[in-house]
Amino acid sequence: MVNNQFSLQNLRILCEVADYQSFAKTAQMMGVSPAFVTKRVQQLETDLGARLFHRTTRQVSLTEQGEHVYRQAQHILLSVDGLQNQIDLMKGEPRGVLRVSTSFGFGRRVVAQSLAQYSRKHPEVQIKLEVFDRLVDLARDKFDLDVRIGDIIDPNYIARKLASNHRILCASPEYLKRHGKPRKISELSDHNCLVIRERDHPVGIWKLSTRNKSINVKVGGSLTTNNGEIAVAWALAGHGIMLRSIWDSQEHLQSGQLVHILKEYRQEANVWAVYPERLSASAKIKSCVSHLEEYFHNWGKEGGQRPAF
């Protein structure tokens, strides 16, 4: 089917539109205009002499001929991508688009810097970083790599630990002066807890561990957010007790702006690189994960200080 008439880009756009069932969503994910996507699909339909999509104002779906072309296009693109990956691995020169997902604050303060360094080393890789307040489905959302904090990982994916991390309970001295410091975990119900909708954690339930024992604590309060940086700002301003990663709270603990409470309780939340295929299958994923491992090993060494993981 593929000759000079049918470009690989048009076939790839066909598959994206079919998967997302939307021209607009496809354009958004590819970083192009909806008009560009529409024109490419129309060009492919003209070249093939077949209508590939049913179009309505609310939905896009494949026609019977479109289904056939979609299946063939998937096989072609998988073969081409596999061939390119093998060549890249042999040459040791990763290239192509690398789609990475992570969480808001960690992405802005840590992952973005790491990927910028990776880009300098591998300019032929085009990185597309997106941040979310939820866990992504790598297959469904079409990401090559997820850098996540938290130990809940789909067994269908491959994960490599990048750094150790855990979450702790903390509050400002001002809050504790006004409301008292909880001495027992059960006393959290009497306090204003700053609830964060973490990517890997149910809202209002803090899963903690102590002395090899796990406990679920139901918490609540007047302030809830899906952004950890906002929660930290609330905690610093004396609005309540927070469960936050040690990487994000350490500097405030050292400055005395936050106080670590109920120290025997913690929540494991390590840093992982999660990807859908074995590293031997993709030069770009393999090189990026290797870079992340080195980055997190060295992160914070400047000035003789190790990161507080």
Side-chain angles (χ1 to χ4, degrees):
M1 185 178 74
V2 174
N3 53 37
N4 292 334
Q5 288 181 296
F6 310 128
S7 75
L8 290 174
Q9 184 184 44
N10 289 354
L11 294 178
R12 202 175 297 278
I13 289 174
L14 162 75
C15 292
E16 295 289 331
V17 173
D19 290 340
Y20 289 120
Q21 297 184 333
S22 169
F23 283 78
K25 179 68 172 177
T26 298
Q28 178 186 358
M29 300 307 292
M30 294 184 67
V32 298
S33 69
F36 177 84
V37 173
T38 300
K39 181 179 179 180
R40 289 292 185 161
V41 171
Q42 288 175 341
Q43 180 181 332
L44 185 59
E45 289 179 323
T46 299
D47 292 340
L48 289 169
R51 187 175 179 83
L52 303 178
F53 290 99
H54 298 295
R55 301 170 176 84
T56 68
T57 56
R58 298 192 175 195
Q59 189 176 7
V60 174
S61 59
L62 288 166
T63 64
E64 182 178 354
Q65 290 174 316
E67 288 277 4
H68 176 72
V69 176
Y70 171 69
R71 289 194 296 270
Q72 293 296 319
Q74 282 186 310
H75 288 306
I76 292 169
L77 294 172
L78 281 172
S79 297
V80 171
D81 290 345
L83 176 61
Q84 186 64 65
N85 276 332
Q86 289 196 17
I87 293 173
D88 292 344
L89 285 166
M90 291 173 63
K91 295 169 62 178
E93 298 176 2
R95 56 182 294 178
V97 176
L98 180 67
R99 296 195 63 222
V100 184
S101 60
T102 189
S103 55
F104 286 125
F106 194 63
R108 182 183 68 83
R109 293 174 56 187
V110 182
V111 179
Q113 180 182 0
S114 173
L115 292 179
Q117 292 181 5
Y118 172 81
S119 182
R120 285 181 178 174
K121 293 193 293 186
H122 302 287
E124 294 300 315
V125 178
Q126 182 185 358
I127 297 171
K128 295 187 176 182
L129 173 64
E130 295 191 45
V131 294
F132 298 91
D133 63 341
R134 59 173 175 82
L135 285 176
V136 300
D137 184 318
L138 293 174
R140 182 194 64 202
D141 299 326
K142 296 191 174 182
F143 283 99
D144 301 299
L145 177 65
D146 184 40
V147 183
R148 69 179 58 170
I149 295 178
D151 294 358
I152 299 177
I153 299 172
D154 190 317
N156 294 316
Y157 296 137
I158 302 168
R160 181 165 294 191
K161 187 176 177 180
L162 300 176
S164 297
N165 179 55
H166 61 275
R167 298 181 180 123
I168 63 167
L169 296 162
C170 52
S172 71
E174 292 78 13
Y175 176 85
L176 297 175
K177 184 177 180 179
R178 291 196 312 270
H179 301 280
K181 182 185 293 187
R183 303 295 178 182
K184 297 185 295 185
I185 198 70
S186 59
E187 293 179 9
L188 285 179
S189 60
D190 300 324
H191 284 265
N192 196 51
C193 293
L194 305 172
V195 178
I196 309 172
R197 296 198 298 273
E198 297 281 1
R199 300 171 92 210
D200 65 334
H201 210 270
V203 177
I205 301 292
W206 286 350
K207 295 184 176 181
L208 304 169
S209 61
T210 178
R211 301 185 187 91
N212 298 321
K213 182 178 70 174
S214 297
I215 181 173
N216 290 344
V217 183
K218 188 174 182 179
V219 297
S222 58
L223 294 170
T224 301
T225 181
N226 67 338
N227 188 296
E229 292 178 314
I230 291 175
V232 171
W234 285 341
L236 292 171
H239 291 295
I241 295 174
M242 174 180 63
L243 178 66
R244 192 64 184 155
S245 285
I246 191 68
W247 77 267
D248 197 17
S249 55
Q250 181 70 16
E251 61 179 299
H252 304 301
L253 296 172
Q254 291 175 342
S255 68
Q257 293 176 290
L258 290 177
V259 177
H260 188 181
I261 62 173
L262 297 168
K263 293 184 178 181
E264 65 272 29
Y265 293 92
R266 61 191 285 170
Q267 182 185 98
E268 294 300 320
N270 297 303
V271 184
W272 299 86
V274 183
Y275 38 97
E277 56 186 315
R278 297 202 173 276
L279 294 181
S280 59
S282 172
K284 60 187 178 183
I285 298 177
K286 180 178 181 179
S287 62
C288 189
V289 171
S290 296
H291 169 80
L292 288 170
E293 287 183 305
E294 180 181 358
Y295 178 85
F296 279 101
H297 178 73
N298 295 321
W299 189 56
K301 277 186 177 179
E302 293 81 0
Q305 293 183 348
R306 294 283 297 167
F309 282 104

